[in-house]
Amino acid sequence: MNHNTATIAVRELTRKFGPFTAVDHISFDVYAGEVFGFLGANGAGKTTAIRILTGLLMPTSGQAQVAGFDVWRQPEQIKRHIGYMSQKFSLYQDLTPLENIRFFGGVYGLSLRTIRQKSEMLMERLGMQAVAHRLVGTLPLGWRQKLAFSLALLHEPRIVFLDEPTSGVDPLTRRTFWEMIRTEAAKGTTIFVTTHYMDEAEYCDRVSIMVRGHIAALDTPQALKVQFGAEHMEAVFLKLTRPSEL
Amino acid sequence: MRTILFFIYKELLQIFRNKAMLPLLFVLPLVQLLILSHVATNEVRELKLAVQDSDHSLLSKMLVDKLLASGYFLLSGLSANEAQSNVLLDRDEADLVIVIPPNFSENLWQGRTAQVQLLANAINSMKAGVAVSYAAAIVGDFQRQLLEEGKVILPQGAEVACVSRSDVRYQHWFNAGLDYKTFMVPGILAVLVSMLTLLLGAMNVVREREIGTQEQIAVTPVRSYIFVSGKLLPFLFIGLTELTIGLGIAKLIFHTPTEGSLSVLYLFAALTIMALLGLGLLISNLADTQQQAMFVAWFFMIIFVLMSGLFTPIESMPLWAQRLTWFNPIAQLVAIVRLNMLKGASLVEVWPYLYHVLALGLGYGMLAVFFFRKRNV
């Protein structure tokens, strides 16, 4: 992790929907090679913030740079340099893993030769050679999520956004999935991840917790636990999101 | 532009991998073509004729025989009086009643005006109109025959009113035998190809939104026009394939003439399909699920097909309705396919249609892209 280079720089970013302010003047930096946990209860504004940072939505005010590109002026360049994997299953279920790889490779402008090389490499690394020609829809969820993650990295982006990548996946697969994430981060890729599993927050280098459009806390998991006098991240999360009940 | 090939390849894989799709694309339309071409006919035959003959004369019998010999009528009943005739019409046992009054032959022999009454069941006004005009023509013919054979003489001063001396003979161009199938097959073919591309095109775009992969595509650098063209263009190929198979069936089974140049036919089919796909894309913007898209597309399709000139000539619609058909690509394709196949119209003759279809395609395409953009901001 390199604290000198912010791959995502957000300043006073705001998005309103009519009278409702979904994202309210948030500011933070994410560094190259960092695993950044972006937490928050449902409706806290996480999804809106991610949609702005991935170039899908324009902010109402404020600034944000992603991979060095401005969200106001260069959303198309941003898209070229990020990977994205959503909580909804984002592969084509009626295509095989190889066909999915070829399609997304083509979409990002990779040459056929590169696509072929990457396909072989990926199938081998994921141990999926045997199912390379089976429809993705028939594969176990864990395998599909690993494949989706690998596809989000296919064009070697500088940042990957993972929106609840492990929801519905068994604990063992979640563990191997997080190993993949850490490996990728070690190579210098920035990982921007949302999750509802608080044990996963412990895997992150730094964690931000969003509450009603604001960033209520941002630090390493260790520092947050000390700050809130909590033993687990779950307690930190609950104290921030439902302070009145504790 | 290279990206679009990856899209088209992916779409074709998905379309042909879908087990429900193949029969939908290639079996159902052809079954429709085979069945509809036989049943969609305006010809009226085997009309039920009841006879109320109060004259009981040689001449009245000759008239009835002549009606029955025409092949259009079947004798369905005899009635003695008006009340019985009304019952026959009420019970739908007669489509037409011919009433011959008691003094029919006497009047004819005496050179006075003889009267015949026709009562038609006009629930189906078209059928009734045809029945009456057939019967009237036969009665007129009967009268002329009697005069020519010198059996009766004309009443004084009634020459012009009763008998037209001019002898009209018809020659039907472009469909000499007035074969209804020859007329209908090209039209039905045009409608089937149009319906398929409009409906499936609209549903295909929405499909990706419904299953959530559109979001994945949205975060890639792919432009939205590439995305939608990639989703729609396969249906241009499929529509043209459909047309080819349909033309084969028309030729082999219905012996429909194909007078015009095939390249002109395919050019226009391709342009019309593109206009329809533009409309399909416009429809897809109004829908979040394939089911919604299907209902909206269905709404347009019913209107477009009924106003396509397939069953009823556009020229006999009210003026405002004729204007509306300007916006109907299906109406254009039906007209073009008929002109091409039956008349062998050259490119010069169908030139105005070329501009028309191009304008429709551009119009719908631009509207669709405009709304598509707006939706995705």
Side-chain angles (χ1 to χ4, degrees):
Chain A
M1 191 190 340
N2 184 349
H3 276 259
N4 297 321
T5 40
T7 49
I8 302 176
V10 178
R11 295 291 175 272
E12 301 291 318
L13 193 69
T14 302
R15 171 70 203 207
K16 292 179 181 171
F17 294 102
F20 173 69
T21 306
V23 174
D24 196 357
H25 296 89
I26 61 172
S27 301
F28 59 90
D29 286 325
V30 182
Y31 305 111
E34 181 176 33
V35 179
F36 188 84
F38 197 60
L39 312 188
N42 290 330
K46 275 181 309 177
T47 307
T48 305
I50 289 183
R51 288 178 68 81
I52 295 172
L53 296 180
T54 51
L56 291 180
L57 191 69
M58 281 288 150
T60 308
S61 65
Q63 297 300 321
Q65 289 214 329
V66 179
F69 299 102
D70 188 83
V71 292
W72 287 96
R73 292 179 290 112
Q74 300 161 301
E76 294 307 315
Q77 276 95 324
I78 288 178
K79 287 175 185 177
R80 225 172 274 282
H81 292 91
I82 60 166
Y84 177 78
M85 174 188 168
S86 74
Q87 76 192 80
K88 274 195 222 162
F89 187 59
S90 49
L91 301 176
Y92 292 98
Q93 313 242 4
D94 49 357
L95 297 182
T96 67
L98 286 179
E99 287 161 351
N100 269 292
I101 296 172
R102 185 181 311 156
F103 172 69
F104 282 105
V107 161
Y108 282 104
L110 304 187
S111 71
L112 282 176
R113 171 199 285 257
T114 314
I115 292 173
R116 210 174 304 120
Q117 285 167 352
K118 292 223 172 208
S119 303
E120 276 174 34
M121 206 180 70
L122 265 181
M123 290 298 100
E124 194 186 316
R125 204 171 72 207
L126 298 173
M128 288 175 74
Q129 294 103 324
V131 296
H133 294 284
R134 268 175 55 186
L135 297 190
V136 165
T138 65
L139 302 180
L141 183 63
W143 288 23
R144 298 193 304 215
Q145 297 300 73
K146 284 185 203 168
L147 182 62
F149 179 61
S150 307
L151 273 181
L153 295 166
L154 197 66
H155 56 296
E156 296 168 11
R158 290 162 62 184
I159 305 163
V160 189
F161 289 85
L162 307 174
D163 193 1
E164 294 179 28
T166 53
S167 56
V169 177
D170 67 79
L172 190 70
T173 314
R174 270 170 56 201
R175 183 183 291 263
T176 54
F177 192 86
W178 273 92
E179 280 164 14
M180 286 174 75
I181 291 180
R182 298 269 11 158
T183 312
E184 201 52 45
K187 288 189 217 160
T189 311
T190 306
I191 314 278
F192 190 97
V193 58
T194 76
T195 180
H196 281 143
Y197 298 107
M198 285 308 131
D199 59 321
E200 290 186 349
E202 312 265 1
Y203 292 118
C204 298
D205 293 316
R206 285 192 306 151
V207 168
S208 79
I209 297 175
M210 247 186 124
V211 181
R212 286 187 292 278
H214 299 276
I215 290 191
L218 198 175
D219 214 326
T220 62
Q222 195 53 42
L224 285 175
K225 281 186 279 190
V226 173
Q227 185 187 340
F228 289 88
E231 211 169 305
H232 304 290
M233 277 305 292
E234 184 154 354
V236 175
F237 185 80
L238 288 175
K239 273 190 181 175
L240 278 166
T241 52
R242 293 190 292 179
S244 57
E245 290 171 36
L246 290 169
Chain B
M1 278 326 275
R2 176 177 172 268
T3 317
I4 203 166
L5 297 178
F6 282 94
F7 265 96
I8 292 174
Y9 177 70
K10 182 211 101 186
E11 291 304 324
L12 289 174
L13 272 180
Q14 289 181 305
I15 291 166
F16 288 106
R17 194 161 282 169
N18 188 339
K19 292 212 167 49
M21 209 63 164
L22 278 182
L24 202 65
L25 282 176
F26 295 108
V27 182
L28 291 187
L30 301 179
V31 171
Q32 282 174 312
L33 180 63
L34 289 173
I35 294 176
L36 289 181
S37 300
H38 282 101
V39 297
T41 165
N42 273 344
E43 274 183 317
V44 180
R45 288 194 163 268
E46 306 190 340
L47 290 157
K48 288 174 283 185
L49 176 73
V51 176
Q52 182 188 332
D53 182 1
S54 309
D55 194 41
H56 301 292
S57 65
L58 182 64
L59 282 180
S60 68
K61 285 207 168 47
M62 277 171 66
L63 177 58
V64 172
D65 285 345
K66 197 170 171 61
L67 281 167
L68 295 176
S70 69
Y72 294 114
F73 298 101
L74 290 176
L75 186 63
S76 70
L78 296 168
S79 98
N81 52 46
E82 202 183 324
Q84 279 185 18
S85 298
N86 287 344
V87 170
L88 286 174
L89 284 171
D90 267 353
R91 290 189 187 153
D92 202 23
E93 284 170 21
D95 297 312
L96 189 72
V97 180
I98 180 162
V99 181
I100 305 173
N103 47 7
F104 175 74
S105 58
E106 195 192 323
N107 279 341
L108 278 175
W109 294 129
Q110 302 288 327
R112 287 194 294 266
T113 304
Q115 288 177 318
V116 167
Q117 188 183 22
L118 295 171
L119 305 170
N121 176 353
I123 287 179
N124 181 337
S125 62
M126 196 204 70
K127 190 171 164 188
V130 172
V132 168
S133 69
Y134 283 168
I138 293 165
V139 171
D141 200 35
F142 173 72
Q143 190 177 10
R144 191 156 51 235
Q145 194 185 337
L146 290 182
L147 283 169
E148 278 166 7
E149 290 169 8
K151 289 200 177 107
V152 296
I153 51 165
L154 272 177
Q156 286 291 318
E159 191 162 355
V160 183
C162 281
V163 182
S164 160
R165 273 285 151 204
S166 64
D167 185 11
V168 179
R169 279 165 199 267
Y170 303 101
Q171 187 178 6
H172 298 282
W173 279 38
F174 312 123
N175 185 0
L178 279 191
D179 182 352
Y180 216 74
K181 281 186 212 104
T182 302
F183 181 60
M184 290 310 285
V185 168
I188 291 174
L189 183 57
V191 165
L192 287 178
V193 170
S194 309
M195 276 174 38
L196 200 83
T197 45
L198 175 62
L199 182 66
L200 296 181
M203 283 173 66
N204 196 41
V205 175
V206 179
R207 180 164 180 267
E208 197 119 345
R209 188 173 304 145
E210 194 179 61
I211 58 180
T213 38
Q214 190 180 330
E215 199 183 314
Q216 186 70 39
I217 299 298
V219 293
T220 69
V222 169
R223 297 278 177 179
S224 48
Y225 74 90
I226 298 268
F227 171 69
V228 294
S229 331
K231 295 214 70 87
L232 292 174
L233 280 181
F235 289 97
L236 175 61
F237 306 140
I238 289 171
L240 293 179
T241 312
E242 195 86 39
L243 178 68
T244 310
I245 300 175
L247 280 175
I249 288 187
K251 194 83 196 159
L252 292 176
I253 298 182
F254 296 108
H255 306 293
T256 313
T258 40
E259 298 287 339
S261 118
L262 278 179
S263 51
V264 172
L265 184 62
Y266 275 90
L267 170 69
F268 276 90
L271 289 175
T272 318
I273 289 173
M274 287 204 263
L276 283 162
L277 289 175
L279 185 67
L281 181 60
L282 190 58
I283 289 171
S284 74
N285 288 315
L286 305 169
D288 284 314
T289 64
Q290 293 187 75
Q291 202 174 31
Q292 288 171 0
M294 204 169 80
F295 277 120
V296 182
W298 193 245
F299 166 80
F300 279 100
M301 242 151 50
I302 292 278
I303 295 176
F304 280 179
V305 170
L306 289 181
M307 292 181 70
S308 68
L310 176 65
F311 299 111
T312 47
I314 290 174
E315 294 77 20
S316 49
M317 293 175 192
L319 196 60
W320 59 265
Q322 293 189 32
R323 296 258 159 82
L324 278 183
T325 63
W326 289 355
F327 302 99
N328 181 353
I330 299 184
Q332 310 306 320
L333 190 61
V334 167
I336 292 161
V337 172
R338 278 178 177 162
L339 275 175
N340 180 281
M341 288 177 73
L342 304 186
K343 194 181 169 191
S346 65
L347 191 54
V348 177
E349 280 175 272
V350 286
W351 201 245
Y353 286 98
L354 184 77
Y355 288 121
H356 193 134
V357 174
L358 269 177
L360 279 182
L362 280 176
Y364 284 129
M366 283 187 324
L367 273 178
V369 168
F370 176 73
F371 281 108
F372 192 82
R373 287 252 172 83
K374 230 176 138 186
R375 212 197 141 87
N376 284 282
V377 168

